[in-house]
Amino acid sequence: MTLSSRGGLLIGAAVGSGIAAQTAETGGADLLLAVNAGRMRNMGAPSIASMLPCHGATAMTDAFAAHEILPRVGIPVLLGVNCWDADFDADDVVRRVAEQGFAGAVNFPNATLMPRGMRQLLDRAGRGFRCEIDCLARVQAAGFTALYYCGTKEHARAAAEAGLDMVLLNFGWNAGGSLGHSRRASLEEVGLVARDYAALIRRLHPGVRILLEGGPVVSAEDLGHVAGVAALDGYVGGSTLDRLPYEESVVNRIASYRQAGDHHEHLTRQQETLLRWGQRHGLVGRAKPFRTFLEELEAVSGAGRSVAVTFEPGTPLRPVLSAIDRRGATAPQIDGAEDHGTRIAQRLFGRDLPSGYEDGLLTVPDGEAVVLRDIHLALPAAQRRLARSLASGILVTSRRRRRMKVTARCLFVFERSAQEPAFPAELHPELAALLSGWTVRVPPLRDRIADIPELIEALAERLDLPKGRVPSFTPGALQRLRRHAWPENEAELEALLGRIVGRAPEGEVSGNAVGRLLEAPDRSEEPPARGSEMERRRIVEALWRNDFHRGRTAAALHMSRKTLYNKMTRLGLSD
């Protein structure tokens, strides 16, 4: 049987239920693969469960393929064939395909997806990849379609020599989603390997059709990237066509229902005025913890005395300082972690000179705000002197004992998590007593999750993003943002926005995309890899692709075994 595409690549779907098959046909799939992995996904298990001894693969596949899929679709259906059954018989496979009306067969579950050691055991038992190729060759000889799952160069050569007309290059289980595997190979690596395998197969069997499945290829963009490197005839989607879209769809639908029931709390005129006051200083949000914070902030801003602010890492401090004091955002700063003791004392208290007194920040004539970061790291004597000067409003100079009026307003800031006490243990008790009751804690982002959409809009406006570049999120994506812990607070949200804008997404950003971006490490501040590090990564990836067989790895890297051994020893990979 000859399969035809509706245009462009031949698209197949590995399914496990009637609804998945019908939806795939409606979406334009050219063929279906009825395989037990699809059934396991429909049962809520990961695809890899299809390889485990937890059920009879043949009985399971035959049942749903014949009764759920064949009666409901009009496109070709390939039956998943398990060669590991105790009573497996290739001729019986041909008979089942013919009698039940399947278009052909595909080897699934298969040896390709097994670890190398298990593949060797299956080969020795006569149930490995050669048994699968022989079975599919008989199916093809009987006039049906045979699709061979291929994962190594040895398998590719054997399939081509057997004359199989369709070969599916598989690069492992799909990444992404709640049950997906982590990526171990990049799209570039998959493209290069696929190109090498395809060239080998076509050299031995020019009429073959080569399809791709699995690994890091999750989206249409991923497929286009790989297809640009390797000449492919088609693509088969498993998790990418049923599990991932289903997860995204259901999450979006439930999240949208939940949002439909989320009524904005009716705010009083006084609360609305408070929010506008915060917005003038760059403080955006409406959540209850944030409103409570704004109330406290407004109260201390009008007091005119020294106050303390505690915040978690990644929280923007400039708007808070601006709200407390109109000069706070641009006020001079003293950092207890960076300035040594003598410098802190001179900057704060000034010093006596033969010609007179040099004012410090506490006693400048016009008076101004002074931001003191982590002052608990300063010398205890300096902390005590500062506390007594602020409490009395008088600074007594150290030598001539002059009495100077304190004109500055001190804004103390401490980076503290919500689980820690407001003040560090090293803060002098007199300073702690002075600031007690006059401390404002900025709520972390995880306590005001409802403000995230508004914060994203404010970030986009502050960054002057064109309107067309401001991302919109699906309900599922917003739900994913709300579930995140945000350990780096607004700084992490801004970094996420940068990743999204940098990828120039079309349409709404999905929950799966948000999940991948939140988990992606930020390498912008990492130093560039040295030549030896890049070479080490290249060898490790090649070893992994070749099951750590050093001879095959050397051939893949186009070097001799001796050269590979020497490089591995030099790079610390010989053990």
Side-chain angles (χ1 to χ4, degrees):
M1 175 180 290
T2 302
L3 294 176
S4 60
S5 169
R6 304 189 191 186
L9 293 175
L10 186 72
I11 302 299
V15 298
S17 65
I19 184 63
Q22 288 176 307
T23 305
E25 182 180 30
T26 303
D30 299 301
L31 76 155
L32 301 174
L33 283 62
V35 294
N36 68 327
R39 193 62 158 190
M40 297 301 292
R41 289 194 296 270
N42 290 170
M43 295 165 64
S47 297
I48 197 173
S50 62
M51 311 296 289
L52 303 177
C54 53
H55 59 80
T58 298
M60 170 183 277
T61 304
D62 282 7
F64 78 79
H67 296 96
E68 289 186 31
I69 296 181
L70 281 179
R72 291 177 171 84
V73 297
I75 57 177
V77 180
L78 304 185
L79 175 66
V81 174
N82 175 25
C83 296
W84 307 333
D85 277 344
D87 55 352
F88 167 77
D89 180 72
D91 293 330
D92 182 61
V93 170
V94 176
R95 179 188 59 78
R96 283 160 43 212
V97 167
E99 289 182 355
Q100 298 184 61
F102 292 101
V106 56
N107 57 320
F108 201 100
N110 53 65
T112 289
L113 292 167
M114 283 291 187
R116 182 168 178 263
M118 182 61 74
R119 293 202 304 266
Q120 291 176 336
L121 290 174
L122 289 170
D123 289 342
R124 285 200 289 269
R127 297 299 180 89
F129 75 97
R130 296 190 185 280
C131 176
E132 295 172 359
I133 290 174
D134 177 67
C135 175
L136 293 178
R138 296 193 191 190
V139 170
Q140 183 172 295
F144 299 101
T145 298
L147 176 62
Y148 175 64
Y149 264 81
C150 171
T152 71
K153 188 170 288 188
E154 181 184 13
H155 297 178
R157 181 183 296 276
E161 291 174 345
L164 295 183
D165 292 335
M166 294 182 68
V167 175
L168 176 59
L169 302 180
N170 181 273
F171 290 93
W173 306 106
N174 275 121
S178 62
L179 299 175
H181 293 246
S182 60
R183 296 186 181 217
R184 296 194 62 181
S186 67
L187 291 171
E188 291 77 10
E189 290 168 329
V190 166
L192 292 174
V193 174
R195 183 179 65 183
D196 290 345
Y197 285 14
L200 169 65
I201 297 170
R202 289 190 173 112
R203 187 167 62 248
L204 298 173
H205 182 25
V208 70
R209 302 175 80 175
I210 296 177
L211 291 78
L212 180 75
E213 184 199 39
V217 180
V218 175
S219 65
E221 291 76 15
D222 296 340
L223 178 59
H225 190 93
V226 175
V229 178
L232 301 174
D233 298 299
Y235 171 75
V236 171
S239 296
T240 56
L241 291 183
D242 59 10
R243 177 174 59 81
L244 296 179
Y246 179 79
E247 287 180 353
E248 186 75 23
S249 175
V250 172
V251 168
N252 283 341
R253 185 59 61 93
I254 292 177
S256 63
Y257 290 155
R258 187 178 302 281
Q259 290 172 22
D262 288 342
H263 300 291
H264 282 299
E265 184 180 352
H266 180 70
L267 302 182
T268 65
R269 182 177 299 179
Q270 183 179 2
Q271 289 172 325
E272 292 287 0
T273 301
L274 179 66
L275 294 182
R276 287 194 294 272
W277 173 79
Q279 289 169 358
R280 286 199 300 271
H281 296 286
L283 296 166
V284 177
R286 301 174 63 90
K288 187 174 181 179
F290 188 70
R291 296 201 310 269
T292 301
F293 157 69
L294 286 182
E295 291 171 359
E296 297 173 354
L297 193 64
E298 186 183 38
V300 300
S301 69
R305 78 183 305 277
S306 296
V307 298
V309 177
T310 67
F311 62 100
E312 289 196 355
T315 302
L317 188 59
R318 185 183 179 92
V320 179
L321 297 177
S322 172
I324 294 175
D325 190 289
R326 61 182 177 82
R327 303 155 297 182
T330 57
Q333 296 192 17
I334 292 178
D335 193 331
E338 296 182 1
D339 294 332
H340 56 76
T342 303
R343 176 174 167 78
I344 290 177
Q346 288 181 353
R347 291 192 67 195
L348 275 176
F349 309 126
R351 55 180 175 170
D352 282 307
L353 298 173
S355 57
Y357 180 74
E358 181 181 82
D359 281 308
L361 293 174
L362 289 183
T363 58
V364 290
D366 295 334
E368 61 181 10
V370 179
V371 177
L372 302 175
R373 284 180 173 268
D374 296 327
I375 198 64
H376 62 284
L377 300 177
L379 294 174
Q383 293 186 53
R384 183 179 64 249
R385 186 181 181 191
L386 174 61
R388 293 178 179 179
S389 299
L390 293 176
S392 64
I394 299 296
L395 170 67
V396 180
T397 63
S398 55
R399 289 187 180 179
R400 301 185 182 181
R401 311 302 294 173
R402 298 180 182 181
R403 296 172 63 83
M404 312 287 293
K405 182 180 179 181
V406 174
T407 57
R409 184 186 191 188
C410 292
L411 309 180
F412 295 82
V413 294
F414 302 98
E415 188 174 289
R416 310 287 288 168
S417 74
Q419 290 73 37
E420 294 178 301
F423 300 135
E426 300 88 347
L427 187 68
H428 195 278
E430 293 187 34
L431 264 183
L434 177 76
L435 297 172
S436 179
W438 293 91
T439 301
V440 179
R441 187 187 291 272
V442 184
L445 185 55
R446 63 180 176 275
D447 289 348
R448 44 187 296 236
I449 292 299
D451 290 338
I452 285 180
E454 193 172 351
L455 286 170
I456 290 175
E457 291 181 8
L459 274 173
E461 183 177 349
R462 180 168 63 81
L463 297 172
D464 291 327
L465 292 180
K467 192 170 183 179
R469 298 295 302 279
V470 179
S472 59
F473 297 87
T474 65
L478 290 174
Q479 193 71 7
R480 180 66 180 83
L481 291 173
R482 292 186 177 102
R483 291 202 311 268
H484 188 59
W486 300 106
E488 297 298 324
N489 294 288
E490 281 90 333
E492 188 176 0
L493 184 62
E494 183 172 346
L496 174 68
L497 181 61
R499 294 191 192 109
I500 293 173
V501 172
R503 284 161 175 76
E506 295 182 3
E508 292 183 308
V509 181
S510 69
N512 285 332
V514 167
R516 289 195 299 270
L517 292 172
L518 285 172
E519 295 165 4
D522 186 0
R523 305 188 184 277
S524 59
E525 298 183 1
E526 291 185 5
R530 295 174 298 179
S532 59
E533 293 174 348
M534 295 178 66
E535 186 175 32
R536 191 176 193 275
R537 293 176 191 172
R538 187 168 69 98
I539 291 176
V540 168
E541 292 292 345
L543 285 166
W544 174 77
R545 287 199 307 269
N546 291 279
D547 295 317
F548 293 89
H549 188 284
R550 298 187 182 187
R552 292 196 295 269
T553 300
L557 293 172
H558 306 291
M559 63 179 67
S560 67
R561 292 174 64 129
K562 182 177 180 181
T563 300
L564 176 63
Y565 291 160
N566 291 339
K567 286 179 178 288
M568 290 176 64
T569 301
R570 177 170 57 83
L571 297 171
L573 298 172
S574 56
D575 293 334

